Amino acid sequence: MSFSSDTKKELCRTEINSREEMTSECYGMLLYCKRFGADNIVFSTENAFAANRFCELMSAGFGVITEKTSVLTERHGGGSIFTVSLPVKSECERVFKYFGYVGNEISRRINNAMLEDDVSVSAFLRGAFISCGSVNNPEKDYHLEFAVPYRNLCRDLVKLISGVDRLMYTLKIVERKGIYVAYLKDSEQISDLLAFMNAPIASMNIIETKIIKEIRNNTNRKINSEVANMKKTITASMKQIKAIEKIRDCAGLESLSGELRDVAVMRLENPDMSLRDIGKNLNPPISRSGVNHRLQKLMELAEDCSKQK
């Protein structure tokens, strides 16, 4: 199963503690399902847990009869599409009117009178996500979205989320092939929203994945930096050795002062040694900058040797 399917599975296992919570989750699933009207209610999903959840909540909340069918699809590895409908028209009308609709609305909007507190809003958003939401695997990308067929209904959803004290951020909206998509790309915001809808495992997975990614990235940066510094040190060392060998072949190391000769011999014998370690191994020890100064002097002498030739 995908990360999104696992998240919906977790949401579908949320324990319902009151009738208000039950009807609020039903409301979210209905308002953002395939078809929600006075004469026809159809819930369609590729998630078996979502289909079963819809059947259970509709039965427990409204005592209605539902019919569930499934067909195989070639999409996403040949899974099934589950369709749940209410076969009795009078029951469709009863459920439709329960949430404050009469059938002559110009456009479908969220009836905020049905959502009195954070518990009911949480349940409503849980239902909406189960119905039309998805979330990417955080290993690949941080992205959560609600795909809504109506612009005003999408805007209402965004406004509802931004009004929650624990969230207080605004999802962006983009139109995609006639569908309005409200989305988040910030990992912390996605994690907060999933936790609010009661998907703590999915929420923690996103947090843990982000931490692991940051540790991995920091480690890679450190390794890359160390490799770059090592290459830089080796390149500089080879130039220094080449210069010292030129002095040796041109005038002999005996021509150098004691201080320069000690550094030259130490570098020739220890091509991988850092300037700081060379300084520590001299007698008497000197600083890194002192070693660098003497090596620069050796480089100048080597250049003079080249000019003399």
Side-chain angles (χ1 to χ4, degrees):
M1 294 180 71
S2 67
F3 184 81
S4 188
S5 295
D6 286 340
T7 300
K8 289 188 178 183
K9 178 180 177 181
E10 182 183 6
L11 290 172
C12 289
R13 289 179 170 176
T14 299
E15 183 177 348
I16 301 294
N17 297 309
S18 67
R19 174 169 175 77
E20 289 74 18
E21 186 178 1
M22 179 187 301
T23 55
S24 294
E25 185 174 329
C26 276
Y27 186 29
M29 297 178 81
L30 287 165
L31 195 55
Y32 292 90
C33 71
K34 182 176 181 179
R35 200 169 293 119
F36 178 47
D39 59 350
N40 196 10
I41 293 177
V42 180
F43 178 83
S44 182
T45 179
E46 295 179 5
N47 191 294
F49 293 94
N52 291 336
R53 178 77 164 187
F54 182 76
C55 293
E56 292 168 1
L57 292 184
M58 292 301 293
S59 176
F62 299 97
V64 298
I65 298 172
T66 57
E67 288 184 352
K68 183 174 72 171
T69 60
S70 65
V71 294
L72 292 176
T73 174
E74 295 181 358
R75 295 184 301 166
H76 308 302
S80 297
I81 294 180
F82 302 91
T83 300
V84 183
S85 60
L86 275 63
V88 181
K89 183 177 178 180
S90 60
E91 292 185 340
C92 292
E93 184 177 9
R94 176 165 61 87
V95 172
F96 187 71
K97 289 184 176 180
Y98 177 87
F99 292 107
Y101 303 104
V102 295
N104 61 355
E105 291 82 7
I106 297 175
S107 63
R108 193 64 41 78
R109 308 295 295 269
I110 294 177
N111 181 3
N112 290 296
M114 299 297 302
L115 310 173
E116 298 180 351
D117 52 29
D118 278 359
V119 173
S120 59
V121 172
S122 171
F124 175 83
L125 292 178
R126 182 166 64 245
F129 184 85
I130 291 171
S131 189
C132 71
S134 64
V135 59
N136 286 10
N137 186 334
E139 288 282 357
K140 299 178 181 178
D141 185 26
Y142 300 120
H143 184 92
L144 178 146
E145 70 178 39
F146 296 85
V148 186
Y150 307 108
R151 181 175 59 183
N152 286 336
L153 197 54
C154 188
R155 288 177 174 175
D156 285 353
L157 182 65
V158 170
K159 185 177 180 180
L160 182 66
I161 293 173
S162 65
V164 177
D165 290 339
R166 287 172 53 184
L167 304 177
M168 296 183 67
Y169 44 75
T170 303
L171 283 74
K172 294 181 179 179
I173 298 177
V174 63
E175 185 179 356
R176 186 194 300 159
K177 296 181 180 179
I179 299 295
Y180 296 88
V181 179
Y183 68 92
L184 290 172
K185 283 188 171 295
D186 182 90
S187 59
E188 292 184 8
Q189 292 178 352
I190 293 172
S191 176
D192 289 343
L193 180 55
L194 289 175
F196 181 72
M197 294 189 298
N198 207 26
I201 295 175
S203 175
M204 284 303 301
N205 281 340
I206 290 176
I207 294 173
E208 290 174 358
T209 300
K210 182 181 181 182
I211 292 172
I212 292 171
K213 280 185 178 180
E214 289 178 347
I215 293 173
R216 187 185 301 134
N217 291 337
N218 289 336
T219 300
N220 288 339
R221 279 194 293 268
K222 184 176 180 181
I223 291 173
N224 291 337
S225 177
E226 290 176 352
V227 169
N229 289 335
M230 189 179 299
K231 287 181 178 179
K232 185 178 179 181
T233 298
I234 291 173
T235 300
S237 176
M238 296 307 295
K239 289 181 179 179
Q240 295 158 5
I241 290 173
K242 188 175 180 179
I244 295 169
E245 289 176 341
K246 186 174 292 186
I247 295 171
R248 182 189 62 195
D249 297 340
C250 177
L253 298 184
E254 296 78 10
S255 63
L256 299 172
S257 66
E259 292 180 347
L260 292 180
R261 186 170 59 252
D262 289 346
V263 170
V265 171
M266 185 68 71
R267 170 50 83 205
L268 286 174
E269 293 178 350
N270 302 278
D272 298 331
M273 187 176 285
S274 68
L275 300 188
R276 183 172 285 104
D277 289 338
I278 288 176
K280 289 180 180 179
N281 284 279
L282 291 174
N283 188 17
I286 62 173
S287 66
R288 179 187 181 281
S289 61
V291 174
N292 186 58
H293 176 74
R294 295 183 188 183
L295 285 169
Q296 290 299 321
K297 182 63 176 177
L298 289 169
M299 299 283 281
E300 292 173 6
L301 291 173
E303 188 174 345
D304 291 340
C305 285
S306 298
K307 291 178 181 180
Q308 291 174 11
K309 289 185 177 180

